[in-house]
Amino acid sequence: MDGFVTVVLAAGQGTRMNSSLPKVVHKIFDKAMVSYAVDAAFGAGSKKAIIVTGFKEEIVRSELLGKENIIFSHQDRQLGTGHAASMALPFITAEDDVLILYGDMPLLTKETLKNIHDIHKAANADLTLQSTNVDNPFGYGRIVRKDGLLEKIVEQKDATHKQQEINEINTGLYCFKASALREAILGMNNNNAQNELYLTDAVEILLSKGKKVQATISPNNEEFVGVNSRVELAHATKIMQKRINEKLMISGVTIIDPTTTYISVHTKIGKDTIIMPGTVIEGDCVIGQNCTLGPYAHLRPGTILGDNVRIGNFVETKNATLGTGTKVAHLSYIGDALLGENVNFSCGAITVNYDGKNKHLTKIEDNAFIGCNTNLIAPVEVGKGAFIAAGSTITDNLPPDSFGIARQRQTTKENYIKKT
């Protein structure tokens, strides 16, 4: 039977995060770690995902709202990875292949998940696990082999000195036949250093019953980084930043300094756009071709740019659509706005979109000129070809081809002596 079901273990608090939130909802570029894991599974062909939750599960559920074919299973007490996996058994049929992974592994790719399932199917294995080699294996379960064949997995706290020198580690990614998973869980006990049911014990249990168990080694250990602390979260973020930026550059986007450019995985960018250093792009932004962004531009969710748009130094946009050829050179804010084509939005001009209670829309039509330090008090509309004088505060709609000026006439007092 093609396809598989995925079990995502996401019940723990993650004490080393020192957070009131569940570990798996901490974000990398505005996307929760657990959401990365789930999306990778569905991208690889998973039919459904069973999310094992526990600590503050309502927060985990909220991060996955809107995703289809998801089932939640609650784990009252965290009694080990084997116990967590057992929470998914009521939702698994006898014919299923079952992929098990952790919700704190945001760097897994759909290609890797598909590959382990393909290897598992081709070998007709009962259990296939993913291993990799690392320079520093401390903290990971070690892969113990005999004559090149998988013999068992030994956790760090249970490993002998010799076993701790092994560099091949268990990544925590498994593919089971459903029947083998049930059999392994029934055979588990908590006779170990942590008094928990280890999912890793499935290897010895199944081998003792004559089942086919194998470990496939991945040459890319970067994907299997688990996040247990804020330091590790920052490390994973840097890897994701590099991955996102390289993918965009390969697709035809110029990023002058990828190390200082932060772009959401949700953002889409057209060819020949140039992104200057210090630029941050969040959420579901859509950017056309031949645009120039930055340096130090901040594009927030809901930003849509047509082709040949210029967003310059220290410009912030949010929930704003800018038409082809529009220019916002520097030191401006555009929020909750619709700008047409070839609009000139000058230095220091802003849309005043919030009245203290509600957000309001600013609409600027094609070829309008917005002078320096203009305040556009929304809701307001500026017609096609209209011109606004620098320093104006615009509260009323401007018709097409009109001139708007809204500032107090200058008063000059000569021979003025300041009182002391």
Side-chain angles (χ1 to χ4, degrees):
M1 184 176 181
D2 293 333
F4 54 90
V5 300
T6 302
V7 177
V8 180
L9 306 184
Q13 178 179 0
T15 55
R16 280 185 282 166
M17 296 295 288
N18 193 22
S19 173
S20 60
L21 299 173
K23 176 173 61 173
V24 298
V25 304
H26 285 268
K27 296 183 178 181
I28 294 178
F29 295 118
D30 59 43
K31 182 174 179 178
M33 290 193 288
V34 68
S35 191
Y36 279 105
V38 170
D39 287 350
F42 282 125
S46 185
K47 297 181 293 184
K48 64 183 176 183
I50 304 159
I51 317 299
V52 180
T53 58
F55 178 72
K56 294 189 176 180
E57 69 171 356
E58 68 283 356
I59 300 175
V60 179
R61 288 177 180 237
S62 69
E63 289 293 342
L64 299 172
L65 282 177
K67 295 185 185 294
E68 297 180 350
N69 300 315
I70 286 183
I71 298 168
F72 293 96
S73 180
H74 180 71
Q75 184 185 21
D76 287 323
R77 293 189 298 160
Q78 282 71 66
L79 301 176
T81 52
H83 181 256
S86 73
M87 298 295 101
L89 291 179
F91 308 102
I92 296 169
T93 65
E95 298 79 20
D96 286 329
D97 284 338
V98 184
L99 190 71
I100 300 180
L101 52 87
Y102 292 94
D104 63 357
M105 296 174 67
L107 301 175
L108 287 171
T109 64
K110 62 183 181 181
E111 291 81 10
T112 291
L113 300 187
K114 183 178 184 302
N115 183 62
I116 190 174
H117 181 243
D118 288 346
I119 291 171
H120 179 78
K121 293 291 287 185
N124 193 28
D126 293 284
L127 165 59
T128 302
L129 64 90
Q130 183 75 68
S131 69
T132 193
N133 289 297
V134 295
D135 293 332
N136 180 12
F138 182 82
Y140 291 96
R142 306 305 202 278
I143 300 295
V144 179
R145 293 180 182 269
K146 184 176 182 180
D147 299 326
L149 299 176
L150 177 62
E151 183 179 25
K152 60 183 175 179
I153 301 172
V154 179
E155 296 294 343
Q156 173 75 35
K157 292 182 178 181
D158 301 304
T160 65
H161 180 73
K162 185 176 181 180
Q163 288 169 340
Q164 289 180 14
E165 294 176 350
I166 297 171
N167 291 95
E168 186 182 358
I169 63 161
N170 174 37
T171 65
L173 176 59
Y174 310 87
C175 193
F176 285 88
K177 286 183 179 178
S179 58
L181 177 60
R182 292 179 188 275
E183 193 169 359
I185 288 173
L186 288 173
M188 291 177 186
N189 62 63
N190 63 352
N191 296 329
N192 51 60
Q194 301 202 134
N195 296 313
E196 293 182 347
L197 299 180
Y198 290 162
L199 188 56
T200 50
D201 287 347
V203 172
E204 286 187 273
I205 293 168
L206 293 177
L207 285 174
S208 70
K209 296 178 180 294
K211 302 294 184 180
K212 186 171 184 178
V213 180
Q214 60 182 359
T216 177
I217 303 175
S218 171
N220 180 14
N221 58 36
E222 194 175 72
E223 281 192 41
F224 308 105
V225 170
V227 175
N228 295 298
S229 68
R230 309 277 183 158
V231 173
E232 292 173 350
L233 181 66
H235 176 60
T237 298
K238 293 302 291 185
I239 294 172
M240 185 64 74
Q241 176 194 26
K242 182 174 181 287
R243 183 184 292 177
I244 292 170
N245 289 351
E246 287 184 353
K247 183 177 180 180
L248 286 169
M249 289 187 285
I250 290 169
S251 74
V253 177
T254 296
I255 301 178
I256 301 300
D257 184 5
T259 63
T260 61
T261 302
Y262 299 87
I263 302 173
S264 168
V265 69
H266 300 296
T267 292
K268 296 179 175 62
I269 305 178
K271 292 181 180 179
D272 296 316
T273 285
I274 300 172
I275 304 177
M276 305 295 285
T279 297
V280 177
I281 306 175
E282 299 179 314
D284 56 345
C285 296
V286 179
I287 298 161
Q289 299 184 28
N290 296 295
C291 296
T292 305
L293 311 178
Y296 302 105
H298 185 190
L299 278 61
R300 292 168 57 196
T303 295
I304 301 174
L305 307 182
D307 297 339
N308 303 301
V309 170
R310 169 81 171 103
I311 300 292
N313 308 38
F314 303 103
V315 171
E316 180 180 353
T317 64
K318 187 270 297 182
N319 194 29
T321 298
L322 283 67
T324 298
T326 286
K327 296 177 175 59
V328 189
H330 34 228
L331 299 167
S332 294
Y333 171 70
I334 301 177
D336 300 292
L338 297 174
L339 277 64
E341 297 183 358
N342 300 309
V343 172
N344 189 94
F345 203 90
S346 300
C347 173
I350 65 170
T351 59
V352 185
N353 56 331
Y354 184 52
D355 64 6
K357 182 180 290 187
N358 298 305
K359 299 288 181 72
H360 299 283
L361 181 69
T362 297
K363 184 177 179 182
I364 303 171
E365 296 183 352
D366 297 350
N367 302 306
F369 185 98
I370 312 300
C372 291
N373 294 319
T374 294
N375 296 312
L376 295 158
I377 311 299
V380 69
E381 296 185 11
V382 178
K384 186 174 182 179
F387 190 106
I388 297 176
S392 295
T393 296
I394 301 298
T395 58
D396 299 325
N397 294 343
L398 288 174
D401 299 314
S402 62
F403 176 77
I405 181 168
R407 62 190 183 209
Q408 185 175 348
R409 183 177 296 277
Q410 178 177 323
T411 300
T412 302
K413 297 182 178 180
E414 298 182 2
N415 301 315
Y416 176 72
I417 300 175
K418 185 178 180 181
K419 294 180 180 180
T420 58

